[in-house]
Amino acid sequence: MDIAVILRTVPDPVEELELNDDETDLDRDYLGFVLNEFDDHALEEALLLKEAGGGSVTAYAIGTTDEVEQILYTAVAKGADAAVKLGDDVGALDAHAQAEVLAAALGERSHELILCGVQASDEIDGQVAMLLSAKLDLPHVSVVVGVEPAGDGLSVTKEYWGGITATYDVSLPAVLGVQAAQQAPRYVAVSRIRQAQEAGALSEAPFVPPTGSSGITITAMRIPESGTGAEMISGDEEAAADRIVELLQAAGMGGGA
Amino acid sequence: MTSAGVVLLAAAGDEGREVFEGFGTPSIVIFYLLALVAIVVFLYGFWRRLAKYRQGRAVSRLSLHRIRRALVDLSSQRTIGKRDPYVRVAHFFVFWGFIVLTIGTTIIAIDEDIIGFILGRPEWRFWHGAFYVGYALVLDVFGIGFIVGLLMLAYRRRQQPYRLDYERVDTETYDRRGYSLDDRIFLAILLFLGVSGFLLEGFRIAANDFPSSEVVSIAGWVIGLATSMMGESANDVARIVTWWVHAGAALAFIAHIPYAKAMHIIVDAADLVFTDHSSARALPDVVDAASPGYESLAAFTWKELLDFDACTKCGRCHEVCPARASGAPLSPRDLILDLREAADAHAGIRLWYGPGAEPRYAEATEVAGAVIGADTLWACTTCMACMEVCPVGIEHVPSIVQLRRRLVDIGDVEPGLQSAFQSLARGGNSFGKSAKQRARWTKGLDFTIKDVRTDPAEFLWFVGDQAAFDPRGAEISRTVARILHRAGVDFGILYESERNSGNDVRRAGEEGLFEMLRDQNRDAFAEATFERIFTTDPHSLNTLHHEYDLDAPILHYTQLLDELVRSGRLTLNRFDGRATYHDPCYLGRYAEEYEAPRRLIEATGLELVEMGRRRENSFCCGAGGGRIWMDDSALTERPSENRIREAVALGDDVRFFVVACPKDLVMYSDAVKTTGHEHRLEVVDVAQLLERALEAEGAFAG
Amino acid sequence: MSGAVLVITEHLNKRFTDATFELLALARTLAGDAGVEAALVGSGVAGMAGELGAADRVVVIDAPHLEVFDPDGHAAAFAAVVAGREPRIVLVPYTSTGMDVGSHIAARAGLPLVSYCRSIDASDGLSATCQLYAGKIEADVSVDGDRAVFSVLSGAAPAADGRLEGSPEVVEAGVGAASRTRFTGLAEPEGGDVDITAQDVLVVVGRGIESEANIEDVVKLAELLGGAVAASRPIVDQGWLPKSRQVGKSGLTVKPKVYLALGVSGAPEHVEGMRDSSTIIAVNTDPQAPIFGVAHHGWVGDLFDLLPELTDRLEG
């Protein structure tokens, strides 16, 4: 199966986020970016499908930063057959713009399956996976936790609440928003990533600057005050333990084993 | 020939004996034929082994210094005698006895066969007269020593010490009776040779009616006295029979050397000559970037192949290994033996493993994860206790790391380790934190530490991950900072530019990540101006010193504090109490620094009570080699808990367990709680003791 | 355009989800004269319209192949409703079904989409307050134009306010395009040993627990409290606890008397599953952790330091 995987970088969740001067966006100068966790799962699912049934995996990413190149080299090191870098120094694109760029690039090629992470932490104007499927007019299932070939198409497992899952037959070509691959994303040694880098394993594709607009504007950003309404317990672990036991007893529990 | 010999002796009128006394020419010829066969079999065996070593990867190990060191090791038997004086004495006797007896036989061969027969120069023969007498005395003394040594070793074996228990600790079970049989046969043959040699001597002396000069052959003389009652001719018959038995056994022994345990006689001497005791400190570089780590047996160096053969199954490494002691499936001994079996099977050599035993791994192509299980390889803490105690110079740790490199390359990495690697790649630390948070620990200080990136300082303080990000480690760092500030030391840190030193990353097999961290750190060093480096972390100490190729001298902080105390820049008020000190693996065995922390402890007035396993024999806390990032739920007892119990056994009045490594601090602080001893034993860093001693007198009383 | 507020409803086994009623409640606060419409897609569902009393009109698409939620089919059906009704505002729940529908509707109708909304203001143009970056950032968003689709986080309005009796007008609509996905089966999770929704006390672990072995100590604490251990998604994904212990969007919703969160960051997907707990106590080393926004009491510190202290005190 000919599979395309969309990879995106997002601000590193372990970083403390700071805002820029007019507080309409993050301060991107010092931000660390990492691969979107769900895209990592999408890549893993793609590699598993290829290992089980043959075919090829091509990774796509928008941007020219070091981080973008790193995630593409990592994809190649893990087993992707090709990695395509889209674009110029574009800065942060919203979901609509990303979907437009990707649709232009993917529309030229004939991938049977496009896997993308179900969401990314900065998609305020919609999910790229879904928007892409709309642009390409392809069937789409989101929150996917399992993909298997079934006849000419796929049998896809979608997760609902409370652990309930449903399976669907999906005809190809299709776009899937992956929540979790069937196994945790594999580890690839740094030396292999370096090798991919030294082999210059990236190709570029023409970047069509997006023209559409998301139709929304962020007017302000703020860091939510932690514990508004929360009583923050001060002191060391002993003080905290004392207070928590108090609270437990007030709630009628923790009177002792 | 014989009669000429007799004539000569008679002519000289002095002491000596006839070599083939009473043998007809056919017998002599048969003997030499047998000898020839034995020698051919012997040479063939070693030729096969040499061919195997030649297939190993090249590595440079020949040096005069190593040869000199090996000669001292062998002649003094100091390596086998480490912490075991009984065995040192016993094996000393066996070793020198065997050598002298061999030289003795060689002397006869030179005198009889070369000078007498081949060169045909009877006048050059020397094995007679005073020389002969001296020879006879020496040989008897060493022969007796030889047997005494063997009996001492046999006795030790009878006591069934744990190290000689061959039961495996991993999931493999197979019949190892062949190994034990190998051991016992070896011991038996040597004893047999020694005893039969003396019997032979006794019969000969009795048969020749006790020539006076033979009194120096003490043992033979005494035996002869006992057998003389049989009469001269009976003794002569006994002599000839015993001669053939003894000669046959000796020739059989010689022939079998390369095929059984006896090969250690030659292989171990060679291993001691070529061994590098620092190969765990400065690990070998990756040979082939496209395939880091050992993919197959072909990747091992000849020295490693030699290591596998050199193992005599003495079990010392098995005994001291902290992973083995905690129930992990790693025994350094079994690792080496498995590799030997695989290498032999690969080279088509068949050692005798026991009745009906088949050589394993004949089909093996992959080593890491196959011949040696991944769980086994991951269990190692790289504490180096195995290498330190090995009497023959086997280098376990670098071989394990090479195999780990392979596991990492193929992605066989457990989730905890994976997330540590990912965190290290992203933020340069294993705590999942942003690189920017590295210097957060300094916030608790009431002064600002110099930023050595912008301000030159005498010392660059390489703090290390654990001492920066772990709250307990950070406490120590602040303590060290306060002490140094108080002493007026000019030091600075790299703030956010510091990265994990990569020591444990390298030892966990992620060579690419190690290189990345090292390059980042080296770049940071290049931008800073400083004269010396000191570090809070012994692991960092090792890699900065051995693997970073820096010009500046690198100290451990205890060495720096020791300098300050000894030079008087810090004066301590002494307080009372008893403490025990735990030598960190990477400060003790790796950096060979045992004294500075001890001096510091004693300078505070505490009385130092030593644990049994101390200094080079210190027992690892279990965190090294990346283990601190791995799941330890399968262990039966954590090494750190084992160690705390050892400390507690020193007595109720030993209140302090002193450490000098942030990982030790973390591991032992946890262990003291999980073993329920936290109210009775305080885990404290050297720096914390020092700070208490710097405070007002009476701030602490033990 | 109708100017109405259209609510995308969702149901399973002939029961509407709580999210549906929350959206109806929210819609009522936003609706102007054009009122609130609800889109109901399914098979044999016309009779359920009566439960949607909070709406003025219910637009029903009833077709056999739409009996169980089917991503492509339902997305197309809802898109058809939007195209037909031309509402001013479309409210889509931030759920698994909502994620298949929201962006599709927006793309088809050429409308902007605003995700992760906590609150919406329709009084002067359209604007919303949203959560980004797993809850670490709050953003105010304004919409260009006067029509938009909003994907709404759970808890934006009380579900009770949306459960109104009434008899809304029912309007039938035609089925959308043929579906390219086909439902083949539903699987309920295996019942776990413990039903976390029935517990009075839950001690919940997140990524901060660091390893499976550490969960043992938490189990001990939970036992001392007469409760059970639950987990956020990453813990269940690792296999350290079964799915039956998962709290959150793709797990279970719980409302215990005491919810003690240890090392849980509090991303919206988790919070939606526990927000209504009576007493929420959160412990995390990260002062910016969003869990502190929903907790009643919080302590910034290391759970490993706290655990033994708590356990000691509770043991008596």
Side-chain angles (χ1 to χ4, degrees):
Chain A
M1 211 186 315
D2 187 348
I3 307 173
V5 180
I6 312 299
L7 302 178
R8 292 162 291 178
T9 54
V10 292
D12 190 345
V14 310
E15 298 269 353
E16 276 174 20
L17 301 176
E18 286 170 13
L19 299 172
N20 66 1
D21 289 333
D22 45 329
E23 296 191 349
T24 54
D25 196 4
L26 296 178
D27 183 354
R28 292 182 183 261
D29 284 345
Y30 295 104
L31 217 43
F33 284 87
V34 296
L35 176 62
N36 177 29
E37 184 190 345
F38 298 110
D39 294 342
D40 203 7
H41 280 266
L43 176 63
E44 182 64 29
E45 192 69 55
L47 293 169
L48 289 171
L49 284 168
K50 173 185 156 175
E51 280 162 12
S56 72
V57 173
T58 308
Y60 294 83
I62 302 175
T64 52
T65 61
D66 284 344
E67 287 94 345
V68 167
E69 295 198 347
Q70 274 299 109
I71 64 176
L72 288 171
Y73 287 129
T74 307
V76 170
K78 286 189 178 183
D81 300 281
V84 179
K85 193 171 59 168
L86 291 166
D88 272 322
D89 190 6
V90 291
L93 293 179
D94 63 30
H96 278 74
Q98 288 180 50
E100 201 181 319
V101 168
L102 289 166
L106 291 170
E108 308 264 312
R109 308 178 181 219
S110 55
H111 296 290
E112 293 167 79
L113 178 61
I114 301 171
L115 295 180
C116 185
V118 63
Q119 62 185 15
S121 57
D122 57 359
E123 286 171 323
I124 195 159
D125 60 314
Q127 277 75 48
V128 169
M130 183 92 241
L131 293 171
L132 181 59
S133 74
K135 279 215 182 315
L136 295 173
D137 195 23
L138 294 177
H140 174 89
V141 181
S142 64
V143 202
V144 168
V145 294
V147 183
E148 311 250 319
D152 283 339
L154 297 172
S155 171
V156 166
T157 308
K158 179 185 166 79
E159 192 178 67
Y160 288 99
W161 53 86
I164 298 171
T165 58
T167 47
Y168 297 93
D169 279 347
V170 178
S171 61
L172 295 176
V175 178
L176 299 178
V178 174
Q179 170 81 21
Q182 288 172 74
Q183 72 187 29
R186 64 196 60 189
Y187 184 72
V188 67
V190 171
S191 58
R192 288 205 176 196
I193 301 175
R194 282 232 179 121
Q195 272 165 40
Q197 199 165 347
E198 274 150 33
L202 298 188
S203 57
E204 299 204 18
F207 173 78
V208 179
T211 51
S213 146
S214 64
I216 66 176
T217 316
I218 297 180
T219 54
M221 271 197 188
R222 73 192 75 86
I223 294 168
E225 282 163 44
S226 64
T228 31
E231 169 221 344
M232 295 307 288
I233 305 169
S234 57
D236 64 2
E237 61 269 16
E238 300 193 15
D242 285 336
R243 178 69 184 125
I244 292 177
V245 171
E246 251 176 42
L247 292 166
L248 290 168
Q249 284 167 347
M253 355 245 118
Chain B
M1 178 173 65
T2 325
S3 30
V6 169
V7 161
L8 214 72
L9 281 172
D14 62 356
E15 305 75 1
R17 71 165 184 268
E18 209 183 304
V19 177
F20 292 106
E21 183 189 344
F23 280 40
T25 313
S27 306
I28 297 173
V29 168
I30 290 173
F31 169 73
Y32 278 107
L33 278 174
L34 287 173
L36 188 63
V37 168
I39 289 171
V40 166
V41 172
F42 169 88
L43 287 174
Y44 175 72
F46 272 111
W47 178 77
R48 290 294 299 275
R49 295 222 161 265
L50 270 171
K52 180 176 75 166
Y53 304 145
R54 283 239 219 75
Q55 283 180 357
R57 199 159 51 83
V59 70
S60 160
R61 284 296 179 87
L62 192 58
S63 87
L64 205 56
H65 149 76
R66 289 204 179 106
I67 293 175
R68 273 201 299 261
R69 178 198 64 200
L71 285 173
V72 176
D73 287 340
L74 290 165
S75 48
S76 69
Q77 294 288 290
R78 63 181 171 183
T79 59
I80 201 176
K82 237 181 236 178
R83 300 188 282 278
D84 196 344
Y86 178 86
V87 169
R88 183 175 190 168
V89 167
H91 196 264
F92 185 91
F93 285 160
V94 175
F95 176 83
W96 281 111
F98 189 89
I99 286 182
V100 166
L101 291 170
T102 307
I103 292 176
T105 315
T106 315
I107 286 176
I108 300 179
I110 293 175
D111 188 76
E112 172 80 13
D113 302 324
I114 297 179
I115 297 180
F117 184 63
I118 295 173
L119 298 179
R121 291 290 192 149
E123 64 275 16
W124 288 354
R125 293 179 71 158
F126 56 91
W127 192 55
H128 58 90
F131 178 84
Y132 176 84
V133 174
Y135 169 98
L137 176 63
V138 166
L139 252 70
D140 249 53
V141 166
F142 276 86
I144 293 169
F146 183 69
I147 291 177
V148 167
L150 288 168
L151 289 173
M152 284 174 76
L153 293 175
Y155 180 68
R156 169 62 75 88
R157 191 167 273 279
R158 274 211 58 180
Q159 291 175 313
Q160 297 188 310
Y162 176 67
R163 69 168 74 137
L164 294 181
D165 181 346
Y166 290 143
E167 195 181 320
R168 289 185 72 114
V169 297
D170 58 11
T171 52
E172 302 257 358
T173 47
Y174 67 104
D175 191 354
R176 275 190 150 174
R177 284 175 301 170
Y179 277 160
S180 312
L181 217 46
D182 188 19
D183 295 339
R184 277 180 262 144
I185 288 176
F186 182 57
L187 188 60
I189 287 188
L190 288 173
L191 263 172
F192 183 78
L193 286 173
V195 167
S196 63
F198 278 132
L199 278 176
L200 173 59
E201 194 175 60
F203 292 139
R204 170 173 60 79
I205 290 172
N208 283 306
D209 193 27
F210 300 86
S212 54
S213 56
E214 290 289 350
V215 72
V216 293
S217 303
I218 315 158
W221 189 273
V222 167
I223 293 173
L225 286 174
T227 66
S228 60
M229 65 185 82
M230 297 189 319
E232 278 184 29
S233 53
N235 270 293
D236 202 49
V237 170
R239 173 186 70 86
I240 293 178
V241 168
T242 312
W243 193 100
W244 279 108
V245 167
H246 177 86
L251 291 176
F253 177 80
I254 289 169
H256 106 298
I257 287 178
Y259 305 94
K261 183 169 181 168
M263 72 172 166
H264 87 267
I265 293 172
I266 305 206
V267 173
D268 287 8
D271 209 58
L272 281 170
V273 168
F274 296 119
T275 200
D276 176 1
H277 290 300
S278 277
S279 57
R281 298 181 177 106
L283 288 174
D285 284 330
V286 163
V287 175
D288 175 10
S291 175
Y294 286 174
E295 205 174 321
S296 69
L297 287 166
F300 285 97
T301 64
W302 61 262
K303 170 56 168 66
E304 283 170 311
L305 296 172
L306 187 66
D307 279 347
F308 306 153
D309 283 350
C311 177
T312 57
K313 318 191 288 293
C314 78
R316 282 167 173 78
C317 60
H318 179 86
E319 199 176 32
V320 299
C321 177
R324 196 273 316 148
S326 61
L330 167 65
S331 157
R333 172 196 69 198
D334 293 335
L335 182 113
I336 296 298
L337 292 174
D338 282 347
L339 289 169
R340 172 200 295 179
E341 290 188 33
D344 276 354
H346 199 68
I349 294 176
R350 221 199 131 117
L351 278 184
W352 184 70
Y353 293 109
E358 283 301 314
R360 304 185 305 146
Y361 310 126
E363 308 303 319
T365 44
E366 179 77 53
V367 181
V371 173
I372 308 292
D375 283 347
T376 302
L377 290 170
W378 288 123
C380 177
T381 67
T382 69
C383 77
M384 213 167 73
C386 51
M387 286 176 63
E388 192 278 333
V389 80
C390 179
V392 302
I394 296 174
E395 300 166 45
H396 315 68
V397 174
S399 301
I400 290 175
V401 172
Q402 293 279 28
L403 291 170
R404 281 179 169 187
R405 285 175 180 169
R406 175 69 181 158
L407 290 178
V408 169
D409 191 43
I410 60 178
D412 187 347
V413 174
E414 66 169 76
L417 191 56
Q418 202 168 316
S419 77
F421 286 157
Q422 279 159 350
S423 171
L424 285 157
R426 286 204 315 221
N429 68 83
S430 59
F431 288 81
K433 298 266 191 331
S434 157
K436 293 189 201 117
Q437 295 182 22
R438 183 168 283 269
R440 280 271 166 87
W441 66 268
T442 59
K443 291 228 162 88
L445 296 167
D446 58 11
F447 59 92
T448 311
I449 298 182
K450 198 185 268 196
D451 185 339
V452 76
R453 298 174 293 183
T454 51
D455 297 322
E458 186 188 345
F459 286 98
L460 185 155
W461 178 8
F462 189 91
V463 183
D465 261 19
Q466 208 80 30
F469 287 98
D470 184 295
R472 287 167 289 197
E475 216 21 79
I476 306 306
S477 299
R478 282 189 285 271
T479 307
V480 171
R482 285 191 295 262
I483 296 176
L484 295 178
H485 183 72
R486 187 165 167 163
V489 175
D490 179 22
F491 69 96
I493 62 176
L494 288 167
Y495 283 86
E496 304 81 45
S497 298
E498 187 184 298
R499 295 275 176 279
N500 183 297
S501 69
N503 185 74
D504 288 12
V505 170
R506 187 171 213 203
R507 276 136 190 86
E510 237 294 9
E511 189 71 3
L513 182 56
F514 163 72
E515 286 170 9
M516 192 172 103
L517 293 166
R518 179 179 61 181
D519 291 342
Q520 287 168 340
N521 276 320
R522 287 208 281 218
D523 286 345
F525 288 144
E527 308 231 325
T529 315
F530 56 91
E531 287 165 48
R532 292 197 277 174
I533 300 176
F534 76 91
T535 176
T536 349
D537 174 28
H539 293 240
S540 302
L541 179 70
N542 180 67
T543 192
L544 289 173
H545 188 74
H546 291 281
E547 296 172 329
Y548 266 54
D549 204 22
L550 297 170
D551 286 326
I554 305 171
L555 298 169
H556 187 244
Y557 74 103
T558 54
Q559 293 168 324
L560 174 58
L561 291 174
D562 184 46
E563 259 181 47
L564 295 173
V565 169
R566 294 210 284 179
S567 67
R569 271 167 87 173
L570 280 173
T571 47
L572 310 173
N573 300 302
R574 298 162 70 86
F575 55 92
D576 291 328
R578 307 183 92 209
T580 187
Y581 172 67
H582 166 81
D583 291 280
C585 302
Y586 276 82
L587 184 62
R589 275 186 290 272
Y590 274 80
E592 296 177 296
E593 174 61 76
Y594 303 105
E595 299 306 334
R598 286 180 165 78
R599 281 194 292 264
L600 286 170
I601 295 170
E602 287 176 334
T604 65
L606 288 171
E607 184 192 337
L608 194 55
V609 180
E610 298 276 11
M611 287 183 279
R613 294 176 296 187
R614 60 182 177 278
R615 293 169 182 272
E616 353 22 271
N617 193 25
S618 181
F619 188 74
C620 178
C621 75
R627 290 282 332 153
I628 200 171
W629 303 320
M630 299 189 224
D631 177 30
D632 67 353
S633 53
L635 298 180
T636 49
E637 180 194 46
R638 296 196 185 93
S640 52
E641 291 169 351
N642 182 311
R643 188 62 156 160
I644 290 294
R645 289 187 228 277
E646 185 180 0
V648 160
L650 291 173
D652 270 349
D653 56 344
V654 176
R655 301 305 311 248
F656 298 104
F657 185 93
V658 185
V659 296
C661 165
K663 287 190 188 56
D664 279 340
L665 181 74
V666 167
M667 299 299 284
Y668 289 123
S669 300
D670 285 342
V672 106
K673 285 183 198 160
T674 54
T675 52
H677 290 297
E678 64 190 302
H679 297 297
R680 151 193 188 335
L681 190 64
E682 187 183 344
V683 176
V684 69
D685 186 272
V686 173
Q688 288 172 316
L689 281 181
L690 237 62
E691 188 166 59
R692 291 185 202 182
L694 284 170
E695 260 134 43
E697 196 168 339
F700 190 89
Chain C
M1 95 174 163
S2 76
V5 178
L6 178 70
V7 170
I8 304 298
T9 66
E10 57 175 19
H11 56 89
L12 184 66
N13 293 333
K14 293 289 192 290
R15 292 193 54 203
F16 286 111
T17 59
D18 280 352
T20 299
F21 295 112
E22 287 181 5
L23 292 187
L24 285 171
L26 182 62
R28 287 243 64 91
T29 68
L30 299 171
D33 302 324
V36 173
E37 301 189 346
L40 170 55
V41 172
S43 175
V45 294
M48 290 169 70
E51 292 172 52
L52 302 172
D56 300 307
R57 249 168 323 284
V58 176
V59 182
V60 177
I61 294 186
D62 201 307
H65 75 276
L66 296 171
E67 182 177 353
V68 181
F69 182 80
D70 154 34
D72 204 45
H74 276 63
F78 283 122
V81 171
V82 169
R85 303 301 303 168
E86 291 187 334
R88 180 186 177 217
I89 295 171
V90 181
L91 299 180
V92 180
Y94 176 59
T95 59
S96 183
T97 45
M99 291 188 85
D100 279 330
V101 169
S103 302
H104 186 92
I105 290 176
R108 282 271 173 271
L111 291 174
L113 176 77
V114 187
S115 306
Y116 309 116
C117 297
R118 288 186 53 189
S119 64
I120 302 172
D121 183 350
S123 53
D124 178 15
L126 289 176
S127 62
T129 300
C130 309
Q131 278 190 343
L132 282 182
Y133 302 110
K136 287 176 111 162
I137 294 279
E138 211 168 70
D140 294 332
V141 174
S142 84
V143 176
D144 312 335
D146 200 41
R147 297 179 66 205
V149 178
F150 295 87
S151 167
V152 182
L153 297 173
S154 81
D161 291 357
R163 285 182 212 270
L164 298 176
E165 294 292 322
S167 23
E169 181 193 341
V170 175
V171 174
E172 301 263 335
V175 176
S179 174
R180 296 164 293 187
T181 57
R182 186 173 68 87
F183 168 75
T184 53
L186 197 68
E188 309 258 348
E190 286 146 29
D193 46 340
V194 167
D195 178 5
I196 58 173
T197 63
Q199 300 290 320
D200 279 338
V201 179
L202 284 176
V203 184
V204 188
V205 294
R207 276 194 228 255
I209 199 71
E210 280 171 18
S211 87
E212 193 176 355
N214 297 332
I215 296 179
E216 228 181 275
D217 296 328
V218 181
V219 171
K220 196 162 146 208
L221 177 65
E223 276 166 13
L224 285 171
L225 293 169
V229 176
S232 64
R233 191 193 181 103
I235 302 300
V236 174
D237 279 349
Q238 298 264 44
W240 294 350
L241 282 172
K243 192 84 183 167
S244 54
R245 304 289 185 124
Q246 187 179 328
V247 173
K249 173 154 159 277
S250 54
L252 296 165
T253 301
V254 297
K255 297 176 184 139
K257 293 210 179 86
V258 174
Y259 190 92
L260 177 57
L262 303 175
V264 175
S265 69
E269 292 79 13
H270 181 83
V271 166
E272 101 173 46
M274 44 68 77
R275 184 184 344 98
D276 293 331
S277 311
S278 313
T279 304
I280 300 171
I281 307 172
V283 174
N284 200 300
T285 52
D286 178 6
Q288 274 195 352
I291 190 87
F292 292 124
V294 73
H296 301 106
H297 310 273
W299 182 63
V300 178
D302 192 333
L303 70 95
F304 295 113
D305 287 337
L306 182 65
L307 260 178
E309 299 291 332
L310 266 182
T311 316
D312 274 350
R313 283 161 179 70
L314 292 168
E315 273 170 341

